[in-house]
Amino acid sequence: MKIKFLLFVLSLFTICAEALLAQKAYHLKSPNGTIDVSINITDKIYYTVNYNQDVLLKNNYLAMEVNNEVLGNQPKLVSAKTSAINTVIKPYVALRYSTVTNKCNSLLLTFKGDYSVEFRAFDDGIAYRFITKKKDSIEVKNEQVALQFPEDYILHLQQPGSFKTAYEENYSAIHSKDWKTEDKMSTLPVLIDTQKPYKILISESDLSDYPCLFLKGTGQNGVSSVFPKAPLEFGEDGDRSLKITKEASYIAKTTGTRTFPWRYFVITADDKQLLETTMALRLASPSVLKDPSWVKPGQASWEWWNGATPYGPDVNFISGFNLQTYKYYIDFASNYGINYIIMDEGWAKSTLDPYTPNPDVDVHELIRYGKEKNVGIVLWLTWLTVHNHMDLFQKFKEWGVKGVKIDFMDRSDQWMVNFYETVAKEAARNELFVDFHGAFKPAGLEYKYPNVLSYEGVRGMEQMEGTIPDNSLYLPFMRNVAGPMDYTPGAMISMQPELYRAERPNAASIGTRAYQLALFVVFESGIQMLADNPTLYYRNPDCTEFITSVPTTWDETKGLVAKAGEIAVVAKRKENKWFIGGIANGKEKERNVQFNLDFLDKSRTYKMTYFEDGINADHQAMDYRTKTIPVKAGDTIKVKMARNGGYAAVIQ
């Protein structure tokens, strides 16, 4: 009797399970219930995303072409498993928070054909990824990331002319209905303005052994994915690159049992949330370094932007890329507690040979001198030289080098993505940190290997008059959401755009002096450059003291005022000090904003030293004022910023 009863219960359970699977419709909600993902499994795997019952993305679908089958076409569901995740992450390089709560709900859908799709719903967005359990290696011919917009959206994006890109194009804005298939594609991240309170940022994390994702318009108010093919053969292309002479028919050849990159969507009802989100971290692989304590984030004095030309009564030598000049930079760094100096192109006798220093520079003497002054040396290299001499990491460790700046990759196919990870691994093995230039955007490698301190992948200040606040005001809401960004701020010669007349060695930036100071608080990078001439920093001691007091890692971040592309004011805490940075574009002649200091400890008293735009900053961009005042929790601070202006403060 018991056996019959058990069989009856089992059959009933099977019928219920089959009935549940036959529904093929699932809802996954964020922990706070504001975001809902509706998943429908019919001829494809479709999903719709709602925020407070507003439909933001409708009938999107996903698929992956592997070998001779398309995962996600006519899918046969085997099981659906929900779970809740609630963990704490403590990133070693804490760009926004030293402690991050990773809280979300998960739905794992497993299908016939040895593959699964996992969805996660967070309070600030959603993500999904493919998982395969196939024998041997597989060839991924394509992956379909297909999004459909229910209304006409405005898309903010970078549009390169080809897959050969360093992600340094200006941002453009296009209407989703107008993005045609023949138009240029876009890099990630993409920021979607729904023209309602909501914005959606699209990017990827946990990228490994797989190419970067690009997006293109469908011509039907939607977007679809496109990927660079895997390169098979290369030809010579100068001293710092290779040209691809043969491509595969697939985008990746990889192991058959693996997880694939997360496609994530940060969804906000307030632009301030984009300044605070940690989505990329929460989806990245955890650190593989058992003891990363040797990794030291910090600031660096950099000679390239200012032409290595200090001058003045204390410079009694011919300045340039030579031993005495670099010692001057080391002395400057030591005087202000700056951790590193960057030695850019010219330190080696040849860009092709990383082992023979330029005799005019004498790297070995500079490493010795830097150690004496507590300043580390970082060496620039082309990626091609690194690829041809992977043993250089061991040699640099023997020399006493602290880090490497690797340049001109300008690609993001599977081969190059793997190169990044190989570099990170070999550098970590030899206790060297890495700063990638000529790079694609971050996608989680910096958390798996915390010695990856930054990436360029941004239209940074090296573009001189080509770097305008109208473009840079998107960076806190887009590029820095993806990860650390080596923008190289710190100009002491500031100009408004219509007055710009400058070139190296007298390099200048567009935006006010207060804007430049604020960049050190607003922009995030594990290695933050001081791009200008030590001579100018010595002549502006109040600004230099502020800049060099700004941390590169943080315990807490709070968005105070935010409108993507126009204004960003953020407060960041390191231990018991708060720093505030505010930047504005050139849309309005001046901006009057206010914010509350309710984040301060009510039991303490504070003093705030601030830098603000001077009365003439709208045409003489170097005009600024500085003042120290007492403040307390709950005070309201009123700020006036000039066009292309800024505001910077420290509260202690």
Side-chain angles (χ1 to χ4, degrees), residues 35 89 242 314 584:
I35 296 175
I89 302 171
L242 293 174
D314 62 335

Side-chain angles (χ1 to χ4, degrees), residues 82-374:
T82 59
S83 61
I85 297 170
N86 191 354
T87 60
V88 172
I89 302 171
K90 294 187 175 182
Y92 183 75
V93 180
L95 293 175
R96 294 190 171 182
Y97 301 90
S98 56
T99 301
V100 174
T101 299
N102 181 27
K103 186 177 182 181
C104 65
N105 292 322
S106 171
L107 173 64
L108 181 64
L109 301 170
T110 301
F111 299 91
K112 286 184 179 178
D114 300 319
Y115 75 98
S116 304
V117 176
E118 182 182 4
F119 285 88
R120 290 185 184 177
F122 303 84
D123 289 342
D124 61 345
I126 70 157
Y128 76 82
R129 66 176 173 181
F130 273 94
I131 302 169
T132 56
K133 291 185 178 180
K134 294 182 176 292
K135 295 179 180 179
D136 306 319
S137 65
I138 56 174
E139 291 181 358
V140 180
K141 302 293 181 62
N142 194 22
E143 180 189 345
Q144 291 180 310
V145 180
L147 308 177
Q148 194 66 30
F149 307 128
E151 298 176 37
D152 187 24
Y153 289 167
I154 297 173
L155 311 179
H156 299 280
L157 35 73
Q158 282 181 323
Q159 293 182 278
S162 71
F163 287 120
K164 186 175 176 59
T165 173
Y167 288 57
E168 294 182 22
E169 295 79 15
N170 269 317
Y171 290 118
S172 54
I174 60 176
H175 284 265
S176 58
K177 286 184 176 178
D178 297 334
W179 198 7
K180 300 178 178 62
T181 55
E182 62 269 24
D183 294 341
K184 288 181 179 180
M185 63 186 174
S186 172
T187 66
L188 295 181
V190 169
L191 182 63
I192 301 172
D193 184 348
T194 66
Q195 304 192 74
K196 293 179 179 180
Y198 314 111
K199 287 192 173 68
I200 306 168
L201 182 126
I202 306 172
S203 200
E204 60 187 338
S205 189
D206 203 21
L207 177 70
S208 181
D209 195 27
Y210 203 74
C212 283
L213 167 64
F214 292 72
L215 295 175
K216 64 178 181 179
T218 63
Q220 298 179 336
N221 202 30
V223 300
S224 61
S225 53
V226 58
F227 297 87
K229 300 289 188 183
L232 295 177
E233 295 177 5
F234 301 93
E236 291 187 6
D237 191 22
D239 68 337
R240 57 197 66 197
S241 191
L242 293 174
K243 57 186 174 184
I244 299 170
T245 58
K246 184 178 179 180
E247 291 182 335
S249 60
Y250 49 81
I251 64 172
K253 187 171 185 178
T254 185
T255 180
T257 298
R258 60 164 294 177
T259 59
F260 286 84
W262 288 101
R263 283 67 183 88
Y264 69 80
F265 304 78
V266 178
I267 304 171
T268 69
D270 186 328
D271 288 4
K272 291 195 288 285
Q273 294 172 283
L274 290 168
L275 304 176
E276 299 171 350
T277 185
T278 56
M279 182 75 80
L281 163 65
R282 284 172 277 154
L283 294 168
S285 289
S287 172
V288 297
L289 305 187
K290 292 181 179 178
D291 178 14
S293 59
W294 55 270
V295 179
K296 305 293 185 186
Q299 295 182 334
S301 179
W302 180 42
E303 93 288 40
W304 181 88
W305 194 74
N306 56 81
T309 54
Y311 58 94
D314 62 335
V315 179
N316 299 307
F317 52 86
I318 302 298
S319 62
F321 297 89
N322 57 45
L323 178 63
Q324 287 178 296
T325 300
Y326 279 116
K327 283 192 171 182
Y328 189 88
Y329 277 80
I330 290 172
D331 288 340
F332 163 68
S334 179
N335 289 341
Y336 280 100
I338 298 168
N339 308 73
Y340 306 103
I341 69 162
I342 301 280
M343 299 180 64
D344 219 288
E345 184 170 359
W347 69 266
K349 194 172 183 179
S350 163
T351 58
L352 300 174
D353 176 8
Y355 306 116
T356 307
N358 179 345
D360 292 335
V361 174
D362 194 351
V363 165
H364 298 296
E365 168 58 15
L366 290 170
I367 293 169
R368 183 205 65 77
Y369 187 71
K371 188 174 182 180
E372 183 180 295
K373 297 281 187 170
N374 201 29

